[in-house]
Amino acid sequence: MSEQEIFQPFGVDFDLAAGAMEEPDVHIVRKASSMRGHYQDSSALEELIRSGDDPLHYEVFEKNIPEQYGHLRIAVSKLQPGTVAGECFMTKGHYHEVEATAEIYLCLRGEGLMVMKTASGQCELQRMAPGRLVYVPPYWAHRSVNCGTEALISLCIYPGEAGHNYGDIEKQGFPKRVYKQNGEVRILPS
Ligand code: PAN
Ligand code: ZN
């Protein structure tokens, strides 16, 4: 490999207390309207989109790192608190396109759950809380769910070549849903 092809080292500053990546290169915004098909109660989501003027749902902040084998992608995921007919706000969730790739989520702020499933029907949940790291092994689709009252913010690191496969989740969802009623978190079916 010539000297020109070698990717240059760099540093990224984080405000760990705020859960913020300084100077991200990419800022992805997902509003409530991009969550159609994901919540149990689709009319409640439509009502939120209408009455709340399509509010912000979650954001992803990333550094520009090649989507290639050998690299590690760095992202911060920031998911707003709230519910849709009692179902906690969540990310779309995805398998990695290269299914045999893992990911780590280090939670910086908030409280939530990582809901994970395999194509063969296993489903596991892991608690997310500041300072807790969740390991998402290869082959597990993953979705984060905000069960708290402030934004759920995590630092995510995953292989450069991983990619995202949303199609399967849009069709099948996850076997378990997370609700919050009168301040109590409920996972259904239990
Ligand atoms: C994360 C996710 C991020 C947003 O960076 O992309 O939390 O979730 P969705 O991609 O499901 O909308 C990650 O898991 N990357 O692989
Ligand atoms: Zn992922």
Side-chain angles (χ1 to χ4, degrees):
M1 188 174 269
S2 77
E3 195 66 13
Q4 274 178 337
E5 288 169 320
I6 290 181
F7 194 79
Q8 293 301 303
F10 67 92
V12 195
D13 292 308
F14 289 88
D15 180 336
L16 293 176
M21 178 196 281
E22 311 285 354
E23 300 181 5
D25 298 319
V26 182
H27 180 201
I28 298 163
V29 175
R30 299 241 194 267
K31 295 188 167 196
S33 57
S34 47
M35 294 303 289
R36 286 187 169 110
H38 290 288
Y39 289 99
Q40 179 91 62
D41 189 333
S42 52
S43 49
L45 179 67
E46 290 306 323
E47 180 51 30
L48 173 70
I49 295 166
R50 255 196 323 271
S51 65
D53 201 16
D54 198 6
L56 175 65
H57 218 70
Y58 62 97
E59 296 158 277
V60 185
F61 302 88
E62 296 178 335
K63 292 307 288 182
N64 266 338
I65 296 170
E67 295 184 275
Q68 285 169 11
Y69 178 77
H71 280 281
L72 292 171
R73 299 271 302 171
I74 301 168
V76 164
S77 164
K78 181 176 183 183
L79 171 62
Q80 295 301 314
T83 56
V84 176
E87 188 173 3
C88 295
F89 279 10
M90 60 194 182
T91 59
K92 285 169 178 264
H94 56 270
Y95 287 100
H96 287 161
E97 221 166 271
V98 178
E99 292 180 315
T101 52
E103 180 160 358
I104 54 172
Y105 274 68
L106 174 61
C107 182
L108 304 175
R109 283 196 76 114
E111 50 179 305
L113 288 166
M114 180 69 78
V115 182
M116 293 166 278
K117 71 160 190 172
T118 61
S120 61
Q122 295 183 68
C123 183
E124 292 289 334
L125 280 75
Q126 277 290 328
R127 192 173 51 82
M128 300 173 80
R132 183 170 165 86
L133 182 148
V134 174
Y135 182 67
V136 181
Y139 299 104
W140 286 80
H142 42 288
R143 152 181 288 169
S144 33
V145 180
N146 189 340
C147 309
T149 52
E150 62 163 301
L152 175 67
I153 308 178
S154 300
L155 169 63
C156 316
I157 299 179
Y158 56 98
E161 78 278 21
H164 295 80
N165 170 5
Y166 294 101
D168 288 5
I169 304 297
E170 270 163 17
K171 280 183 236 129
Q172 296 155 15
F174 282 73
K176 290 193 189 280
R177 293 181 178 275
V178 182
Y179 296 86
K180 197 171 176 185
Q181 273 139 359
N182 304 323
E184 287 245 325
V185 176
R186 290 189 69 200
I187 298 154
L188 294 176
S190 51

Coordinates of all heavy atoms in Angstrom, one line a residue, residues 1 27 53 59 65 94 102 115 130 140 150 152-153 190:
M1 N 0.9 -1.2 0.0 CA 0.0 0.0 0.0 C 0.9 1.3 0.0 O 1.8 1.3 0.8 CB -0.9 0.0 1.3 CG -1.9 1.1 1.2 SD -3.1 0.9 2.6 CE -4.3 -0.1 1.9
H27 N -24.5 14.1 10.3 CA -25.5 14.2 11.3 C -26.8 13.7 10.6 O -27.4 14.3 9.7 CB -25.7 15.7 11.7 CG -26.8 15.9 12.7 ND1 -27.4 17.2 12.8 CD2 -27.4 15.1 13.5 CE1 -28.3 17.1 13.8 NE2 -28.3 15.8 14.2
D53 N -46.1 18.2 15.1 CA -45.4 18.8 13.9 C -44.2 17.9 13.6 O -43.1 18.4 13.4 CB -45.0 20.2 14.3 CG -44.7 21.0 13.0 OD1 -45.1 20.6 11.9 OD2 -44.0 22.1 13.1
E59 N -31.2 11.0 16.6 CA -30.1 11.5 15.7 C -28.9 10.6 15.8 O -28.7 9.9 16.8 CB -29.7 12.9 16.2 CG -30.7 14.0 16.1 CD -30.4 15.1 17.1 OE1 -30.7 15.0 18.3 OE2 -29.8 16.1 16.6
I65 N -15.4 7.7 8.3 CA -14.4 6.7 8.3 C -14.8 5.7 7.2 O -16.0 5.4 7.0 CB -14.5 6.0 9.7 CG1 -14.0 7.0 10.8 CG2 -13.6 4.7 9.7 CD1 -14.2 6.5 12.2
H94 N -31.8 -2.7 13.1 CA -31.3 -3.3 11.9 C -30.4 -4.5 12.2 O -29.8 -4.7 13.3 CB -30.4 -2.3 11.1 CG -29.3 -1.7 11.9 ND1 -29.4 -0.6 12.7 CD2 -28.0 -2.1 12.2 CE1 -28.3 -0.4 13.4 NE2 -27.4 -1.3 13.1
A102 N -20.0 -7.6 14.7 CA -20.5 -7.3 16.0 C -20.5 -5.7 16.2 O -20.2 -5.0 15.3 CB -19.6 -7.9 17.1
V115 N -32.8 -4.1 22.5 CA -33.6 -5.3 22.1 C -32.8 -5.9 21.0 O -32.5 -5.2 20.0 CB -35.0 -4.9 21.8 CG1 -35.8 -6.1 21.4 CG2 -35.7 -4.1 22.9
P130 N -25.8 4.8 32.0 CA -24.5 5.4 31.8 C -23.4 4.6 32.4 O -23.5 4.1 33.5 CB -24.7 6.7 32.6 CG -26.2 7.0 32.5 CD -26.8 5.7 32.6
W140 N -26.9 -10.6 15.4 CA -28.0 -10.1 16.2 C -28.5 -8.8 15.6 O -27.7 -7.8 15.6 CB -27.6 -10.0 17.6 CG -27.5 -11.3 18.3 CD1 -26.4 -12.2 18.3 CD2 -28.5 -11.9 19.2 NE1 -26.7 -13.3 19.0 CE2 -27.9 -13.2 19.6 CE3 -29.7 -11.6 19.6 CZ2 -28.6 -14.0 20.5 CZ3 -30.4 -12.4 20.5 CH2 -29.9 -13.6 20.9
E150 N -35.0 11.4 29.9 CA -34.1 12.2 29.1 C -33.6 11.4 27.9 O -33.9 10.2 27.8 CB -32.9 12.7 30.0 CG -32.0 11.6 30.5 CD -30.7 12.1 31.0 OE1 -29.9 12.7 30.2 OE2 -30.4 11.9 32.2
L152 N -31.6 9.1 25.5 CA -30.7 8.0 25.6 C -29.5 8.1 24.6 O -29.8 8.1 23.4 CB -31.5 6.7 25.4 CG -30.7 5.4 25.4 CD1 -30.2 5.1 26.8 CD2 -31.5 4.2 24.9
I153 N -28.3 8.3 25.2 CA -27.2 8.6 24.3 C -26.1 7.5 24.5 O -25.7 7.1 25.6 CB -26.6 9.9 24.6 CG1 -27.7 11.0 24.6 CG2 -25.5 10.3 23.6 CD1 -27.2 12.4 25.0
S190 N -44.5 -10.9 27.9 CA -43.6 -11.1 29.0 C -43.0 -12.5 29.0 O -43.6 -13.4 28.4 CB -44.2 -10.7 30.3 OG -45.4 -11.4 30.4

